[in-house]
Amino acid sequence: MNVMHHDTQFAAQDIYPTRLADAEKRMPRQDPVIWSDWSDDAPITRDEAAGYERDGYLIRRDLFTADEVRSLIAASADIRADASAIRAEDLVTEPGTDAVRTIFRLDDHSDIFARLARDARLAETARFLLGDEVYLHQSRLNYKPGFTGKEFYWHSDFETWHAEDGMPRMRAVSASVLLTDNSALNGPLMLIPGSHREFIACKGETPADNHKSSLKKQEIGVPSREILESLATQHGLDAATGSAGTVIFFECNTLHASNGNVTPFPRSNAFFVYNAVSNAVQAPFAAPRPRPAFLSHRGRIEPLKIHRDSLA
Amino acid sequence: MNVMHHDTQFAAQDIYPTRLADAEKRMPRQDPVIWSDWSDDAPITRDEAAGYERDGYLIRRDLFTADEVRSLIAASADIRADASAIRAEDLVTEPGTDAVRTIFRLDDHSDIFARLARDARLAETARFLLGDEVYLHQSRLNYKPGFTGKEFYWHSDFETWHAEDGMPRMRAVSASVLLTDNSALNGPLMLIPGSHREFIACKGETPADNHKSSLKKQEIGVPSREILESLATQHGLDAATGSAGTVIFFECNTLHASNGNVTPFPRSNAFFVYNAVSNAVQAPFAAPRPRPAFLSHRGRIEPLKIHRDSLA
């Protein structure tokens, strides 16, 4: 058992200061990208590990059977169809409508998604990448509708998790399991390959309850246009496309965004953030108080128990 | 000389009734897609003609030299830099900002773009596709900025030009000359291949001065989501991507749209609508009065004189 006791004190050391009063600042990453040494036993190939190290993300296809993917899609439809049963704080709707955009604490709302989070095909890879036992920092179901899906602006998840949740180091990874086919045209996840190797300390202090607006439209904790243009020109842009069932692992500091979607084709995914147990959140590094539990699990931390049988 | 005299009377016959009070309606196209017979003298290859006939658009690359493309890009930057000199009715800005989004009557504001409109590489192809002498129904410079570029929703240009401008038949073609590189990610033109073979009569009467809002966000004259989803599922979606200098010819009735653009990379093009001289606009078929001249040239019609020398 590992009960957190840092919530009421400021972290002793902050190697990634951000939300600066005067100006944004670029600094090199201080942490490894992969926290394990690769060996033949690793859950990903040597090339995949090298790609993740270089780019900050890894796309894996055909990890799940067609039956498993069908079961996940059906479960996600059931959850969205009965969103009235979801507690209000876990639910985000499209601006101006009551269409479901995000359901947080997905693993609380669904057995199969709780099971998916603990599946070896995700969690074992997370353990390898982070070199530690892992727990879920956040989980959610994302649904971007066709015709009216809105954009998400460029950001590093780590910058927010560090500033507002108190995550000390870059030792977390997200796994996005696609529940619809994603083409370059229906608002896929876009990434700047290599951007994870720099920390962009952002300008501007964090307002109280920043998450209430940042979930709809992020304005604090985003790099300037000048830096984004410079990074995208240097590294290029990539879109994480693939058919339903594809899994995108992306490092917590990789800059990403997505465009809106006027195509008729919705975009949905299940999203799990794995954090190293040794990297559990403390007091926020740059916010008056921690974000609520649906965004950042805190308190009792238990390593995920990994399952190896079939999902469906 | 061909002075239009139909502006104050309703068109005698309407083979494409639209803006219906009760419900939208699908009907087959009543016009040829290509109004000439292909021969060895044609300005496009037999395969290109077949592709245009089948898909409703044709992408041509490397028509212009690098020097010509550079001159066009420089001219477009000059025009946008001095937008204060442009008459207000020809200028559209991004919602909520004063950033230039569109400059209409581009051929009035720039010698090189007036020349481009008359270039054989565009106008000769338009003459072939339309089987007639051609004139400019509309011309404009489009600029979708990086980071904040807004989407354009699905529509057939012909539906609007017929309803609001009084264009009788499907005998017009647009040529979009890319002035920036367009990838699938920075809000490129998306098309539904084959959608030009059906006319979607839209539901809803045209409000007075509809163009004042439709240029920012089109709400009248768009097909229902059900029809769009059905067509996109049947035909798929395509994105017209290419480097600066690429030319996209698209038939006036091909359904198209574009997503917003949060990438750092702006998107710009010069856009010319060629109409057959024999298809000159009459009184609007489904609007109280014609749209203004910057959207729809009317009055004296002169066939474009084609130029064959270099642009730069």
Side-chain angles (χ1 to χ4, degrees):
Chain A
M1 198 174 87
N2 184 352
V3 178
M4 301 316 305
H5 56 274
H6 293 296
D7 270 19
T8 53
Q9 62 182 68
F10 269 93
Q13 199 198 1
D14 181 1
I15 62 167
Y16 296 116
T18 187
R19 313 291 166 103
L20 310 177
D22 293 335
E24 65 185 343
K25 204 168 138 187
R26 299 170 71 157
M27 59 175 277
R29 178 189 184 98
Q30 306 290 308
D31 292 306
V33 176
I34 301 183
W35 293 70
S36 304
D37 291 324
W38 187 88
S39 73
D40 287 339
D41 298 335
I44 58 176
T45 67
R46 189 194 289 266
D47 280 355
E48 287 175 325
Y52 181 87
E53 175 91 33
R54 180 189 65 236
D55 297 333
Y57 59 94
L58 169 64
I59 300 174
R60 300 197 78 196
R61 304 177 199 278
D62 305 320
L63 291 184
F64 298 99
T65 67
D67 275 350
E68 288 179 313
V69 174
R70 266 192 293 274
S71 298
L72 292 171
I73 292 170
S76 76
D78 289 349
I79 299 170
R80 292 203 315 118
D82 196 19
S84 63
I86 307 284
R87 59 187 165 228
E89 68 193 68
D90 286 356
L91 197 62
V92 181
T93 55
E94 285 288 316
T97 79
D98 59 1
V100 172
R101 171 164 162 170
T102 306
I103 293 171
F104 284 99
R105 288 195 281 217
L106 174 58
D107 54 316
D108 263 13
H109 297 296
S110 155
D111 288 342
I112 192 171
F113 284 111
R115 171 63 190 75
L116 176 62
R118 289 157 179 81
D119 194 280
R121 289 164 284 187
L122 303 184
E124 192 95 307
T125 297
R127 286 213 311 200
F128 168 74
L129 294 171
L130 306 180
D132 197 0
E133 298 292 322
V134 298
Y135 74 98
L136 287 179
H137 175 68
Q138 187 188 106
S139 75
R140 57 185 206 253
L141 180 69
N142 289 316
Y143 186 85
K144 182 184 283 192
F147 300 111
T148 59
K150 292 289 178 289
E151 73 279 5
F152 267 99
Y153 195 69
W154 298 99
H155 64 285
S156 148
D157 287 333
F158 176 76
E159 195 278 342
T160 294
W161 299 341
H162 183 70
E164 302 189 28
D165 297 340
M167 183 181 287
R169 308 293 289 250
M170 296 180 183
R171 199 171 184 174
V173 60
S174 298
S176 172
V177 182
L178 302 189
L179 300 174
T180 53
D181 295 348
N182 263 222
S183 75
L185 301 182
N186 67 337
L189 179 70
M190 297 189 290
L191 308 112
I192 302 183
S195 57
H196 62 302
R197 280 177 265 138
E198 255 188 88
F199 180 69
I200 315 291
C202 295
K203 183 182 170 185
E205 288 179 18
T206 315
D209 290 335
N210 183 43
H211 67 277
K212 289 184 182 168
S213 58
S214 73
L215 291 179
K216 302 246 175 191
K217 188 170 191 306
Q218 186 161 9
E219 291 181 338
I220 293 291
V222 298
S224 67
R225 293 184 179 188
E226 290 69 27
I227 285 185
L228 290 169
E229 188 174 355
S230 149
L231 287 167
T233 303
Q234 180 188 349
H235 296 297
L237 294 179
D238 194 15
T241 58
S243 53
T246 298
V247 181
I248 304 150
F249 292 94
F250 63 106
E251 208 278 334
C252 59
N253 190 44
T254 307
L255 286 168
H256 59 284
S258 65
N259 276 322
N261 176 22
V262 301
T263 80
F265 305 122
R267 177 184 163 242
S268 177
N269 58 60
F271 191 86
F272 303 103
V273 181
Y274 297 95
N275 190 21
V277 163
S278 57
N279 194 40
V281 295
Q282 308 177 357
F285 287 87
R289 53 189 175 127
R291 298 193 302 172
F294 72 91
L295 290 169
S296 166
H297 179 70
R298 57 180 58 237
R300 186 184 165 91
I301 303 291
E302 275 184 297
L304 286 184
K305 189 168 168 294
I306 293 182
H307 292 249
R308 297 179 190 283
D309 52 324
S310 168
L311 279 177
Chain B
M1 198 173 87
N2 185 353
V3 177
M4 303 314 305
H5 56 275
H6 292 295
D7 272 17
T8 54
Q9 63 182 67
F10 269 93
Q13 197 196 0
D14 182 2
I15 63 168
Y16 295 115
T18 188
R19 312 290 166 105
L20 310 177
D22 293 336
E24 64 185 344
K25 206 168 137 187
R26 298 169 72 156
M27 60 174 277
R29 178 188 184 99
Q30 308 289 310
D31 292 306
V33 176
I34 300 182
W35 293 70
S36 303
D37 291 323
W38 188 86
S39 73
D40 287 337
D41 299 335
I44 58 177
T45 68
R46 187 193 290 266
D47 281 354
E48 286 175 326
Y52 182 86
E53 175 92 34
R54 178 187 68 237
D55 297 332
Y57 58 94
L58 168 64
I59 301 175
R60 300 198 78 196
R61 303 178 199 278
D62 305 319
L63 292 183
F64 298 98
T65 66
D67 274 350
E68 287 178 315
V69 174
R70 266 192 293 272
S71 297
L72 292 170
I73 291 170
S76 76
D78 288 349
I79 298 170
R80 292 204 313 118
D82 196 20
S84 63
I86 307 285
R87 60 189 162 225
E89 70 195 64
D90 286 356
L91 197 61
V92 181
T93 56
E94 285 288 315
T97 78
D98 59 1
V100 172
R101 172 164 160 169
T102 307
I103 293 170
F104 285 99
R105 289 194 280 216
L106 175 58
D107 54 316
D108 262 13
H109 297 296
S110 156
D111 289 342
I112 192 172
F113 284 110
R115 172 62 190 73
L116 176 62
R118 289 155 180 83
D119 193 280
R121 289 164 284 187
L122 303 184
E124 191 96 308
T125 296
R127 286 211 312 199
F128 168 74
L129 295 170
L130 306 180
D132 196 359
E133 297 291 322
V134 299
Y135 74 97
L136 288 180
H137 175 67
Q138 187 188 104
S139 74
R140 58 185 205 254
L141 180 67
N142 289 316
Y143 186 82
K144 182 184 284 192
F147 301 111
T148 59
K150 293 288 179 289
E151 73 278 5
F152 268 98
Y153 196 67
W154 297 100
H155 64 285
S156 148
D157 287 333
F158 176 76
E159 196 277 344
T160 294
W161 298 341
H162 183 69
E164 302 189 28
D165 297 340
M167 183 182 287
R169 308 293 289 249
M170 295 180 185
R171 199 171 185 174
V173 61
S174 298
S176 172
V177 182
L178 303 189
L179 299 175
T180 55
D181 295 348
N182 263 221
S183 75
L185 301 183
N186 67 337
L189 180 70
M190 296 190 291
L191 307 112
I192 302 183
S195 57
H196 62 303
R197 280 176 265 138
E198 259 188 84
F199 181 68
I200 315 291
C202 295
K203 182 181 169 186
E205 289 178 18
T206 314
D209 290 337
N210 183 43
H211 68 275
K212 288 184 182 169
S213 58
S214 72
L215 290 179
K216 301 244 177 193
K217 187 170 191 304
Q218 187 161 8
E219 290 179 341
I220 293 289
V222 298
S224 67
R225 292 184 181 188
E226 291 69 28
I227 286 185
L228 290 169
E229 188 175 354
S230 149
L231 287 167
T233 302
Q234 180 188 350
H235 296 297
L237 295 179
D238 193 14
T241 59
S243 52
T246 298
V247 181
I248 304 151
F249 292 94
F250 63 107
E251 209 278 334
C252 59
N253 190 45
T254 306
L255 285 169
H256 59 283
S258 65
N259 277 322
N261 176 22
V262 300
T263 80
F265 305 121
R267 179 184 161 242
S268 177
N269 58 61
F271 191 86
F272 303 102
V273 180
Y274 297 95
N275 191 22
V277 163
S278 57
N279 194 40
V281 295
Q282 307 178 358
F285 288 87
R289 55 190 173 123
R291 299 193 302 171
F294 71 91
L295 290 169
S296 165
H297 180 71
R298 58 179 59 235
R300 185 185 167 90
I301 301 290
E302 274 185 296
L304 286 184
K305 188 166 169 296
I306 293 183
H307 292 249
R308 298 180 190 281
D309 52 327
S310 167
L311 279 177

